[in-house]
Amino acid sequence: MAVGLCGAALATAVAAAPAQARQARPEGVSGAGWRLKDSGTDARFRGLAAVSRTTAWVAGSKGTVLLTHDGGRDWRDVSPPGAEGLEFRDVEAFDGRRAVVLAIGEGEASRVFRTDDAGATWTETFRNTDPRAFYDCVTFFDARNGIALSDPVEGKYRVLATGDGGRSWRVLPSNGMPAAQPGESAFAASGQCLVSAGRRDAWFATGGAAGARVFHSADRGRTWTVADTPLPAGDPARGVFGLAFRDARVGLAVGGDYRAGQASPKAAAVTADGGAGWTEAAAPPPAYRSGVTWLPHSRRTALAVGPTGTDVTTDGGRTWRTVDPGSYDTVDCAPDLGCWAAGEQGRVARLEPARS
């Protein structure tokens, strides 16, 4: 089923990507749009890892993890055995065989699993035993080093670190973490509340408090600084939900108020100094957005998604245009311009040229 995009905005954006990226799309980009793939499930997918145009992982409700190697024509259910009661909200894939998934929740509901054989077997590598902790997101700097984020414990966000690709984890000291605001937390809405760029820089997004903020670490999570953003705040349902960084300096933030029908003015912002300062988009998305990703090889083009549509920016996040009305929670692009989106009711789509 093809899901057409309004006008030619996204097709134009993809066409504007550098030649080396476009060459990875042999069929061209005219009329590009989301094409829904039959996942065979009604799980809600908030975790997504795009490996390539042919390979992608999704993770979601009811302990569901799916993997495709043929562009979404067929999906393998590779869910960890006995995970039916878990809520997977993030998946980080190193390739088509190696991946780490994060389950969220209070206490022992927060867990990490790793596979090295495309989901044929899984190893539970972390189970949270602190009832005060609630893990939301995970990110990797490379194939060995990564961190996971928990909501505040004793007034500070908790960071879990691995140096062996997610096979073992340790809680980092909290002395380098600024204090959390009363009621502040991260949103496990798209697997993008914690992101990284390069080998050392990481950021996480917050909300639910007086201000919507972004924290930044330049040393793999050991010390952090924090900055306010102009995104909606002052309510448990408002804040920054998704981040995407093109490099160590240029990044995007999206969010708003996740409640259906609630206004979300100033739902996007941009930084050019590594997250020290944020500027609201001159023309933001018209409603709450939970996921955002840069188009690979582009310095100005990115996609944002949420329950009411997909938006594209072609000027580095200053202005956004809605180009599709479909509901998605998360979006991710691979280096070969394989872009995927996923969300409620088993919805998974790949960005494809329109068929003639």
Side-chain angles (χ1 to χ4, degrees):
M1 175 182 178
V3 183
L5 296 169
C6 301
L10 192 49
T12 300
V14 178
Q20 67 268 28
R22 296 199 307 271
Q23 289 169 0
R25 304 181 59 87
E27 59 269 60
V29 296
S30 177
W34 292 125
R35 184 170 294 276
L36 285 170
K37 308 296 180 178
D38 184 4
S39 69
T41 179
D42 63 356
R44 185 165 195 168
F45 295 120
R46 296 183 184 271
L48 167 65
V51 176
S52 68
R53 295 195 67 246
T54 57
T55 300
W57 302 72
V58 290
S61 60
K62 297 179 287 189
T64 306
V65 181
L66 304 183
L67 172 64
T68 182
H69 287 299
D70 59 8
R73 286 190 297 274
D74 298 292
W75 292 89
R76 290 174 48 211
D77 185 340
V78 297
S79 306
E84 295 82 4
L86 299 178
E87 288 285 326
F88 290 128
R89 295 293 181 92
D90 201 352
V91 55
E92 299 292 322
F94 307 110
D95 50 40
R97 294 184 59 81
R98 301 174 299 158
V100 169
V101 294
L102 171 74
I104 69 158
E106 296 178 350
E108 293 191 1
S110 285
R111 306 181 196 182
V112 178
F113 297 80
R114 178 185 164 109
T115 182
D116 290 292
D117 54 13
T121 61
W122 292 87
T123 302
E124 181 182 305
T125 61
F126 173 76
R127 182 180 298 205
N128 174 47
T129 57
D130 188 336
R132 302 168 299 174
F134 185 117
Y135 286 87
D136 298 285
C137 290
V138 61
T139 190
F140 278 83
F141 304 96
D142 51 43
R144 296 188 59 82
N145 297 286
I147 55 175
L149 175 74
S150 166
D151 287 337
V153 175
E154 296 183 340
K156 290 186 176 182
Y157 287 91
R158 176 170 289 181
V159 177
L160 197 66
T162 179
D164 56 12
R167 296 178 178 87
S168 64
W169 298 84
R170 67 191 186 281
V171 175
L172 294 181
S174 63
N175 56 310
M177 178 68 71
Q181 300 175 103
E184 190 179 29
S185 64
F187 293 107
S190 62
Q192 296 173 335
C193 64
L194 171 67
V195 299
S196 56
R199 297 184 62 85
R200 305 192 68 82
D201 287 277
W203 299 261
F204 68 85
T206 77
R213 306 195 294 173
V214 173
F215 289 64
H216 173 230
S217 173
D219 55 10
R220 294 181 180 166
R222 288 162 180 79
T223 61
W224 298 82
T225 57
V226 62
D228 293 326
T229 77
L231 272 72
D235 185 277
R238 299 174 186 162
V240 182
F241 284 73
L243 297 170
F245 274 78
R246 193 187 71 199
D247 50 42
R249 297 192 63 80
V250 180
L252 304 169
V254 300
D257 189 320
Y258 71 74
R259 294 171 295 190
Q262 294 296 308
S264 290
K266 304 179 181 179
V270 61
T271 181
D273 57 10
W278 292 85
T279 303
E280 65 184 81
Y288 157 71
R289 295 294 182 254
S290 54
V292 60
T293 189
W294 289 95
L295 199 71
H297 317 292
S298 172
R299 299 183 64 81
R300 300 170 62 84
T301 302
L303 301 171
V305 299
T308 62
T310 297
D311 307 284
V312 64
T313 179
T314 56
D315 57 13
R318 288 187 290 274
T319 62
W320 294 84
R321 293 179 57 192
T322 302
V323 291
D324 184 276
S327 174
Y328 298 102
D329 292 314
T330 187
V331 62
D332 192 29
C333 291
D336 67 352
L337 275 181
C339 292
W340 298 78
E344 61 184 348
Q345 295 297 312
R347 286 171 61 89
V348 186
R350 187 178 69 166
L351 186 63
E352 299 179 5
R355 294 176 179 174
S356 57

